[in-house]
Amino acid sequence: MENAYTAKAYSAASETAPLAPDTVPRRNPTDRDVQIEILFCGICHSDLHQVRNEWGEFMPTVYPCVPGHEIVGRVTKTGPAVENFKPGDLAAVGCMVDSDHTCPNCQEGLEQFCPNMTLTYNSPDKHLGGVTYGGYSDSIVVDERFVLRVPENLDLAGTAPLLCAGITTYSPMRHWGVGKGQKVGVVGLGGLGHMGVKFAHALGAHVVVFTTSPGKTDDARRLGADEVVVSRNQDEMQKHAGSFDFILDTVSANHDINAYLALLKHDGNLTLVGAPEKPLALAAFSLIGRRRSLSGSLIGGVAETQEMLDFCGEHNITADVEVIPIQKVNEAYERLLKSDVKYRFSIDMASLKSG
Ligand SMILES: NC(=O)c1ccc[n+]([C@@H]2O[C@H](COP(=O)([O-])OP(=O)(O)OC[C@H]3O[C@@H](n4cnc5c(N)ncnc54)[C@H](OP(=O)(O)O)[C@@H]3O)[C@@H](O)[C@H]2O)c1
Ligand SMILES: [Zn+2]
Ligand SMILES: [Zn+2]
């Protein structure tokens, strides 16, 4: 293709294949495009769901699939109409790379709900045809309107996960007004959960972590939790009945949400951000007795993502990461399934050059 160049990447060839070295086409930067050399890319549990086609009913995976939507890097080239970036700048890309910019959602800064939004991977690619390819790659080319600025004081490996795990937990907390005087629960201490704890703490709430992993208790406190509950312990759960203003549920697998709804006060809200493969069972009485509400949330808009990054810059917040070379990505996926990550894998993309 004349309008494209070849980038190195890791892709999955089918839902049962491990990720393996590959090459993908990337468009040469057009007018508004920013070309970024990727330095770090976080591993989100959504990458694993998508690679294994676990969301087949809603968004079937197109193979080969190059996942990765927690991207930080340096600008290498810009199109002539680009205004806010120049070669050498730090830059970041999250879960979206385009939208129609005209619909009511886009007008409101809620590009994540745009009916014509393009996801960073596995979405129809308007420029080259086929689908978009994500950040497990040495470079990416993105419309400047979806490229974020990175505060200079933050560690880059720990900044990458902010682009999904960060915004996905920050956005619902802002929407539901998490702040001082509130009791806030975070269910699941993985990539999203540990960011949720950091944000709820920074926003001034009393934070309670619910975990199935007793070994994470000390870390939960270090990350900002005031209390930690091992959720398999019924007595410990019962002590918190009817006491929460807000609970953020980040669990990636099937679990009993009614047990958490029972912990909300009247008018309390539980927001699901975890996206398990199978439907969750809801008991009507979990909600109606106390006018509780159950809702969901999807990442966040571009402006809010920038606000979150700036908030992280001011409060010196990054993800706690285990940096890995890309050659270890399949092993990392297996560990993710065992809740064995502290608390986000971040791929050092320099490893792709050598491998
Ligand atoms: N809504 C959005 O916009 C959005 C964005 C990104 C990701 N997601 C989704 O959010 C979910 C979490 O992503 P992540 O990257 O944070 O995953 P992760 O790092 O694997 O964390 C998930 C955590 O859930 C808990 N957990 C796992 N299996 C469990 C089970 N069977 N029962 C109870 N708890 C269990 C574990 O915490 P403990 O060890 O503490 O129990 C685990 O660390 C995924 O489904 C992902 O696709 C949604
Ligand atoms: Zn994600
Ligand atoms: Zn739109």
Side-chain angles (χ1 to χ4, degrees):
M1 273 184 273
E2 242 174 50
N3 56 344
Y5 69 98
T6 300
K8 281 187 169 187
Y10 257 55
S11 75
S14 76
E15 64 187 64
T16 51
L19 290 149
D22 197 0
T23 57
V24 293
R26 298 282 190 199
R27 67 180 181 271
N28 293 320
T30 61
D31 259 15
R32 277 177 184 270
D33 283 338
V34 178
Q35 183 189 49
I36 298 165
E37 178 197 5
I38 301 176
L39 298 175
F40 292 95
C41 184
I43 297 180
C44 179
H45 206 115
S46 302
D47 299 348
L48 187 156
H49 289 304
Q50 189 83 66
V51 158
R52 299 191 180 177
N53 202 21
E54 290 174 358
W55 295 334
E57 208 181 311
F58 306 100
M59 26 175 165
T61 306
V62 178
Y63 296 96
C65 173
V66 177
H69 56 207
E70 295 184 334
I71 298 166
V72 294
R74 249 182 223 288
V75 175
T76 45
K77 212 188 261 183
T78 54
V82 169
E83 288 174 356
N84 299 315
F85 293 91
K86 56 180 192 319
D89 286 352
L90 290 174
V93 177
C95 303
M96 308 179 280
V97 289
D98 208 355
S99 70
D100 59 19
H101 305 283
T102 54
C103 77
N105 299 310
C106 286
Q107 300 291 313
E108 263 192 78
L110 298 169
E111 295 87 357
Q112 73 273 35
F113 306 137
C114 174
N116 299 306
M117 183 259 281
T118 306
L119 289 164
T120 305
Y121 59 85
N122 201 55
S123 259
D125 185 334
K126 286 188 219 161
H127 298 262
L128 298 180
V131 292
T132 50
Y133 297 118
Y136 296 9
S137 177
D138 56 1
S139 76
I140 193 164
V141 178
V142 178
D143 184 310
E144 112 165 288
R145 289 169 290 185
F146 283 81
V147 181
L148 289 307
R149 292 182 309 281
V150 176
E152 294 282 341
N153 58 317
L154 297 180
D155 167 67
L156 290 184
T159 298
L162 301 178
L163 277 300
C164 177
I167 185 60
T168 301
T169 51
Y170 180 85
S171 180
M173 288 197 188
R174 298 289 292 179
H175 179 77
W176 290 95
V178 164
K180 281 196 177 54
Q182 289 201 331
K183 185 169 171 185
V184 169
V186 175
V187 188
L189 198 64
L192 266 57
H194 95 291
M195 289 311 307
V197 173
K198 291 188 186 206
F199 286 133
H201 177 72
L203 292 168
H206 180 89
V207 188
V208 183
V209 165
F210 295 92
T211 180
T212 59
S213 309
K216 293 181 183 173
T217 304
D218 290 346
D219 280 344
R221 289 186 187 278
R222 178 180 55 77
L223 293 164
D226 299 286
E227 297 178 64
V228 186
V229 173
V230 176
S231 51
R232 301 204 201 278
N233 182 329
Q234 298 281 337
D235 292 343
E236 270 192 69
M237 291 287 282
Q238 193 51 40
K239 276 186 209 154
H240 292 273
S243 68
F244 281 87
D245 297 283
F246 177 76
I247 297 179
L248 187 71
D249 184 333
T250 76
V251 175
S252 52
N254 196 12
H255 62 293
D256 179 14
I257 53 167
N258 301 293
Y260 295 101
L261 288 168
L263 306 187
L264 292 172
K265 283 185 187 166
H266 68 84
D267 293 320
N269 171 268
L270 185 147
T271 293
L272 284 177
V273 286
E277 182 177 359
K278 302 249 160 59
L280 299 166
L282 170 69
F285 283 98
S286 299
L287 297 179
I288 64 181
R290 296 197 187 192
R291 204 164 54 193
R292 294 165 174 137
S293 67
L294 169 64
S295 55
S297 189
L298 179 73
I299 48 175
V302 176
E304 193 175 42
T305 305
Q306 189 63 60
E307 176 191 311
M308 178 275 311
L309 284 168
D310 296 342
F311 181 89
C312 289
E314 274 161 40
H315 293 82
N316 216 1
I317 293 175
T318 52
D320 284 30
V321 289
E322 179 175 339
V323 177
I324 59 161
I326 193 141
Q327 292 77 9
K328 292 218 163 150
V329 67
N330 294 303
E331 203 181 297
Y333 275 29
E334 290 314 309
R335 285 181 53 196
L336 209 52
L337 284 174
K338 292 187 212 140
S339 305
D340 175 23
V341 52
K342 290 184 173 171
Y343 280 86
R344 197 57 143 188
F345 293 112
S346 185
I347 305 168
D348 181 351
M349 219 45 83
S351 60
L352 187 55
K353 295 201 171 103
S354 54

